[in-house]
Structure formats: C-alpha cells, structure tokens
C-alpha cells in the first residue's frame, strides 16, 4: 500500500492519516484480502522507525480484522 503524505501547510510531509483510512476502506471494499503496509512501495525509507510503527498500528486498527495485514519495520 502506498502512503499518502500531507502536501502543504504546517504538517507538510507528515503521513496523511485520513487518506490512509480512505485507502484502506477502498482496498477492503474492492475485495482485497490483505494489505502490506508499511513496505517499500509505501516510501518506508522516508519514514522514521516511529512513523513506521504508527502507520502499521493505524492500518491494523482501521482494518479491524476485516483482512490480513503484513508489516515490516526495516
């Protein structure tokens, strides 16, 4: 899964969590049975270790058991 970032303003460059939520919901509604986030396609190396963990937790909470989640921190 890609990771959207805030494009401008005070929080420019931060993870855009409202859009992450929308993406997860879209994937599930489209029939996805699993999501991989954070991963290389989610700009993992642009995220700090703390941001990676925050993203993984957020995606896990948003999925709420409706599909599988694979995450990595490295």
């Amino acid at each position: 899964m890609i990771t959207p970032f805030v494009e401008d303003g005070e929080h420019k460059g931060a993870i855009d969590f409202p859009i992450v939520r929308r993406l997860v919901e879209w994937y599930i509604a489209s029939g996805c049975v699993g999501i991989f986030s954070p991963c290389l396609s989610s700009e993992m190396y642009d995220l700090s270790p703390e941001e990676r963990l925050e993203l993984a937790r957020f995606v896990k909470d948003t999925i709420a058991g409706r599909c599988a989640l694979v995450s990595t921190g490295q």
Side-chain angles (χ1 to χ4, degrees):
M1 183 177 114
I2 64 168
T3 300
F5 295 97
V6 176
E7 291 186 32
D8 53 18
E10 178 182 343
H11 301 288
K12 182 177 181 172
I15 298 171
D16 193 333
F17 285 103
I19 301 299
V20 171
R21 182 181 314 278
R22 288 178 59 194
L23 275 172
V24 169
E25 295 299 340
W26 180 82
Y27 285 130
I28 292 171
S30 297
C32 253
V33 296
I35 295 174
F36 189 4
S37 177
C39 60
L40 192 53
S41 64
S42 59
E43 298 77 40
M44 184 176 73
Y45 293 113
D46 293 328
L47 301 173
S48 69
E50 294 80 15
E51 289 171 317
R52 293 176 201 164
L53 185 56
E54 183 180 18
L55 177 59
R57 285 182 175 146
F58 184 86
V59 172
K60 176 186 175 283
D61 291 345
T62 303
I63 287 173
R66 296 176 289 164
C67 73
L69 172 64
V70 175
S71 294
T72 186
Q74 294 223 4

